[in-house]
Amino acid sequence: SQQGEEDPQALSIQEGENATMNCSYKTSINNLQWYRQNSGRGLVHLILIRSNEREKHSGRLRVTLDTSKKSSSLLITASRAADTASYFCATVNSGNTPLVFGKGTRLSVIA
Amino acid sequence: IAGITQAPTSQILAAGRRMTLRCTQDMRHNAMYWYRQDLGLGLRLIHYSNTAGTTGKGEVPDGYSVSRANTDDFPLTLASAVPSQTSVYFCASSDQGANTGELFFGEGSRLTVL
């Protein structure tokens, strides 16, 4: 069964607005990662946050992690039409265990 | 350009036929993975390999087999395809020495079993 669950399943916003996606997970993690998938393409790694970190930034991306609530959020600021994609969270539980992905949030940014 | 190459890009297959999806990486990553992606179900792990010569089962391994004879190649075989194996298959790799689990994905193989 999947570890991470993204919320909402789909999100539609206007260009320039901020987009927030949430991820909840079930067990203790080593790190949590966010990936992006354009339609018909493979997933691309966006950002990684370790279990001892609470917030991380990369360009227009901001990720937070609350291990007490077993949740993470991905914020995309000043969204662009090119940000339209599906976004997935994935967790690494320990050591060499494979990533477990959620079902994703489908983001549509309308120009 | 370094990365992961998957083949074929797309394939239509009759039920009962054998099919091998190929995956090659040139990043010398020790770990490789096969996921399937289905609408509404996200990505589910089929099989993985932490290093050449070893393999492990993921969440949905039934009906699939893998081998890891060397570092670069990780083929996925469907011995006798069934319609429920219609899906998009993604191969991925990671450098476990980096201890992050970050995955690098191929562009996928779209398989339709009729």
Side-chain angles (χ1 to χ4, degrees):
Chain A
S1 61
Q2 267 129 338
Q3 161 80 308
E5 290 289 337
E6 292 90 345
D7 171 60
Q9 291 186 356
L11 179 63
S12 184
I13 60 174
Q14 295 289 325
E15 203 168 31
E17 294 180 341
N18 295 341
T20 299
M21 289 159 270
N22 303 297
C23 170
S24 60
Y25 57 92
K26 299 173 184 174
T27 63
S28 297
I29 61 171
N30 180 302
N31 68 63
L32 186 145
Q33 305 177 28
W34 285 91
Y35 287 77
R36 166 193 170 123
Q37 183 182 32
N38 288 350
S39 181
R41 305 295 300 275
L43 281 75
V44 176
H45 180 263
L46 291 177
I47 194 166
L48 177 154
I49 186 165
R50 299 184 187 280
S51 60
N52 61 353
E53 297 176 313
R54 291 297 167 258
E55 187 171 313
K56 203 160 183 181
H57 296 255
S58 176
R60 293 185 296 112
L61 304 180
R62 172 179 169 248
V63 170
T64 62
L65 179 65
D66 187 336
T67 54
S68 68
K69 296 181 179 178
K70 291 186 169 58
S71 68
S72 172
S73 67
L74 171 67
L75 168 68
I76 304 175
T77 60
S79 63
R80 305 166 182 168
D83 294 328
T84 295
S86 291
Y87 292 82
F88 295 86
C89 70
T91 56
V92 175
N93 295 344
S94 65
N96 295 335
T97 56
L99 265 72
V100 180
F101 284 85
K103 297 179 182 179
T105 291
R106 191 168 59 256
L107 173 66
S108 297
V109 181
I110 302 167
Chain B
I1 298 175
I4 293 190
T5 302
Q6 290 186 234
T9 302
S10 179
Q11 181 76 44
I12 298 173
L13 187 67
R17 298 297 295 269
R18 180 184 180 89
M19 178 72 194
T20 295
L21 303 180
R22 301 184 298 278
C23 176
T24 299
Q25 54 110 352
D26 60 2
M27 297 174 283
R28 307 301 294 173
H29 286 171
N30 45 8
M32 297 187 74
Y33 312 85
W34 275 105
Y35 290 86
R36 61 176 288 174
Q37 185 175 31
D38 303 288
L39 195 62
L41 296 176
L43 281 90
R44 293 180 292 168
L45 182 67
I46 305 171
H47 285 286
Y48 66 97
S49 169
N50 284 332
T51 188
T54 69
T55 62
K57 293 182 179 180
E59 181 184 355
V60 288
D62 294 342
Y64 305 95
S65 64
V66 291
S67 61
R68 188 86 183 279
N70 57 62
T71 297
D72 299 341
D73 301 300
F74 191 43
L76 176 73
T77 297
L78 290 69
S80 179
V82 295
S84 62
Q85 292 177 313
T86 293
S87 186
V88 182
Y89 292 86
F90 287 98
C91 180
S93 71
S94 69
D95 176 8
Q96 292 192 328
N99 199 30
T100 64
E102 177 183 344
L103 293 184
F104 295 80
F105 281 84
E107 293 295 329
S109 293
R110 182 176 297 275
L111 182 66
T112 302
V113 182
L114 301 176

